[in-house]
Amino acid sequence: MTTPTKQPEQRRRPARGAAAAVAVLDGMSDIDAANVVRCARTLLRRPLLRVDSHDGDLLPLVFRHRAALQELFSSLLGYRLVVQRKFARLYKSGPGPQVTRGEQSLTPRGYAYLALSMAALIGVGRQVLLSRLVAEVRAAAAEAGIEVSDGLPDRRALTAALRHLVALGVITETEGSVAPWTGEAPSEALITVDTDLLGHLLAGPIGEVETPEQLVTASASTGTVGGEQAVEHSVRRRLVEDPVVLHEDLPEAQATWLRRNHKRESLLLERCFGLVTEVRMEGVAVTDPEEYLTDLGFPGMGTVARVALLALPELLKQEYHEDPEDEPEQRADGRTPVSRLKVREVCVNLVESYPSAWSKQATEDVDELVDGVLDLLAALSLAVQADEGTWLISPAAHRWLPDPDASPGRESADETPEPVAQTPNWSLFDEDPIAGSSMSTEESTT
């Protein structure tokens, strides 16, 4: 009987998309490769980049490296990039069912008016009076079967939609301005339309769907028909766009792929986008050391942000019972369930314990404060709502365990006991808090 010869271990080949992206950077000088990464980060933050917009001075550099950037985004994320002399448009995926992404200045009614305004702009030419544009928007609403009124809420929503189009550069106030009106009609203004930019604004395939739900689903899809490449693009998009990705939140095929490739992905995201990953048992968090890709920093300076930070240790505490059968079952995703009543109790305790630390306006209505805290944690992917009265706190919240400067009844400095050695847990981000660290989330563009 002979002993079988041990075959040499074969390295797992990188995915085709990843290999193509790395080859793009490897074939360039260090300076050019660094510029490509800089441009890629800018486009992730500014999917619609114009000469006169924020970071617009980088547009010539984007144009110079357009071929490399198009290959990078296509191979890694499945994104389409259009680059012209006057603007660059990165067609990112839509947020899907996530409700925390979007333009803060637009209400749902405002988004409806935004869609109606873009529909009306298609047929008005390059210049139009504001009064006529408003009439065209209302005509488009009637054609679509959408009820609109001349009341103040609708006026504000329409004004917010038009102001957003001004901010995007789609329309320009040539004479006069788009402002809220109090009379029967808006103040007259002459609007110039950038028809080229208007044609590149929508990212969703509106010609291929029939319902809003189908449009949301189609906009969030990778556009790749099945296979490992579709899985690869889906997972990598989540890593780039979301601050925390838990394995339990992914379909089984995507979770398996991420567990198998997380080391390679960490190197790839740092090389191509300057992002740093933290891999734990429950999932992966992505941070930007330069905080450029952070659109919502945490911790923050406002009352709501500070209350949310100080509330986390109490919200993460599990209630222990003498009878082991009464112990709550550990969730597979590592999230900690808390009731809204518990969140309110913690917030009230913080407000009463440190009365001089908070803005009076922010703490006058406790229920409004609680809503603000939960909305902030949800926007940071640190909490999700399970049902009307229950919220689930992400295990990533363990990375913030603040120690207040003063506590009611706290011992003096001379009586401070010696610190007790802590036994480490293998939980997500159970390391010491990182002061001022922020998670990476991206702005979305229509």
Side-chain angles (χ1 to χ4, degrees):
M1 185 174 181
T2 58
T3 303
T5 304
K6 184 178 181 181
Q7 297 294 327
E9 184 178 356
Q10 294 183 350
R11 292 185 178 181
R12 184 183 291 112
R13 295 181 179 179
R16 184 176 180 181
V22 172
V24 168
L25 296 179
D26 287 345
M28 309 177 77
S29 66
D30 292 343
I31 294 179
D32 285 341
N35 284 333
V36 168
V37 172
R38 182 187 178 192
C39 291
R41 286 167 54 81
T42 301
L43 289 167
L44 285 175
R45 179 66 188 267
R46 317 281 184 198
L48 182 57
L49 186 65
R50 309 186 327 272
V51 174
D52 56 347
S53 66
H54 290 289
D55 299 315
D57 57 321
L58 284 181
L59 189 56
L61 196 61
V62 171
F63 187 84
R64 176 186 173 187
H65 294 294
R66 61 190 182 279
L69 288 166
Q70 287 167 343
E71 177 63 31
L72 188 72
F73 282 115
S74 175
S75 58
L76 286 183
L77 302 172
Y79 287 167
R80 182 166 67 96
L81 174 63
V82 175
V83 182
Q84 297 185 11
R85 291 284 186 181
K86 294 169 54 179
F87 68 88
R89 176 68 166 106
L90 178 64
Y91 287 86
K92 298 168 64 175
S93 60
Q98 298 183 43
V99 297
T100 60
R101 297 292 177 83
E103 176 59 37
Q104 296 297 320
S105 64
L106 294 178
T107 62
R109 193 66 171 172
Y111 270 108
Y113 270 113
L114 179 62
L116 292 170
S117 299
M118 288 189 290
L121 287 171
I122 294 175
V124 299
R126 290 191 173 273
Q127 283 194 328
V128 61
L129 291 175
L130 180 57
S131 57
R132 183 193 166 193
L133 177 58
V134 171
E136 292 288 343
V137 168
R138 290 173 175 169
E143 184 180 349
I146 300 175
E147 294 185 7
V148 296
S149 70
D150 198 27
L152 187 58
D154 272 48
R155 293 180 183 181
R156 288 176 175 171
L158 176 55
T159 301
L162 295 177
R163 294 304 311 169
H164 185 58
L165 290 173
V166 171
L168 292 175
V170 175
I171 60 177
T172 305
E173 300 157 310
T174 304
E175 293 184 16
S177 65
V178 177
W181 67 90
T182 57
E184 295 182 358
S187 299
E188 197 60 276
L190 180 62
I191 305 299
T192 300
V193 184
D194 188 333
T195 55
D196 293 333
L197 196 58
L198 176 63
H200 287 282
L201 194 58
L202 287 179
I206 57 175
E208 303 174 8
V209 297
E210 297 181 355
T211 65
E213 293 75 17
Q214 291 176 353
L215 179 60
V216 171
T217 302
S219 299
S221 67
T222 62
T224 307
V225 182
E228 185 171 352
Q229 188 179 27
V231 173
E232 175 186 346
H233 285 168
S234 297
V235 176
R236 200 173 287 132
R237 286 180 181 183
R238 291 286 298 269
L239 293 173
V240 171
E241 305 290 350
D242 296 340
V244 177
V245 178
L246 301 181
H247 294 133
E248 290 296 322
D249 292 343
L250 299 174
E252 183 178 355
Q254 295 182 16
T256 301
W257 185 92
L258 180 57
R259 287 190 179 98
R260 187 175 69 242
N261 297 285
H262 65 82
K263 290 183 179 179
R264 187 199 70 197
E265 290 303 302
S266 297
L267 296 174
L268 192 66
L269 294 183
E270 184 173 6
R271 174 78 187 282
C272 298
F273 302 117
L275 298 174
V276 176
T277 60
E278 298 180 19
V279 181
R280 296 294 186 270
M281 177 175 60
E282 298 92 342
V284 179
V286 181
T287 58
D288 178 17
E290 298 181 7
E291 299 189 7
Y292 175 77
L293 294 178
T294 302
D295 62 354
L296 184 59
F298 188 72
M301 299 301 296
T303 293
V304 173
R306 289 186 290 135
V307 169
L309 175 67
L310 294 174
L312 285 178
E314 291 297 321
L315 299 181
L316 289 168
K317 285 183 179 178
Q318 293 280 5
E319 296 182 1
Y320 295 97
H321 304 271
E322 294 182 2
D323 188 351
E325 295 184 358
D326 294 333
E327 289 291 337
E329 184 178 352
Q330 185 72 23
R331 292 178 55 91
D333 59 10
R335 290 188 171 103
T336 303
V338 295
S339 65
R340 191 183 189 284
L341 186 62
K342 173 67 174 178
V343 179
R344 192 182 193 280
E345 177 186 331
V346 173
C347 290
V348 168
N349 183 53
L350 287 170
V351 170
E352 293 178 349
S353 299
Y354 309 97
S356 61
W358 319 115
S359 162
K360 291 184 180 180
Q361 182 178 0
T363 56
E364 281 180 348
D365 189 333
V366 176
D367 289 319
E368 186 175 338
L369 174 64
V370 172
D371 289 338
V373 168
L374 291 173
D375 288 343
L376 176 61
L377 294 178
L380 292 162
S381 297
L382 295 180
V384 294
Q385 189 171 11
D387 52 51
E388 187 174 351
T390 307
W391 286 75
L392 304 175
I393 308 300
S394 170
H398 283 279
R399 74 195 325 265
W400 290 285
L401 295 178
D403 185 19
D405 293 334
S407 299
R410 189 172 181 174
E411 298 89 353
S412 64
D414 295 335
E415 300 174 347
T416 301
E418 294 182 1
V420 179
Q422 298 289 330
T423 302
N425 288 328
W426 185 241
S427 179
L428 187 57
F429 315 120
D430 52 357
E431 54 206 359
D432 290 339
I434 303 175
S437 67
S438 303
M439 288 189 175
S440 164
T441 55
E442 298 308 319
E443 293 181 340
S444 61
T445 301
T446 305

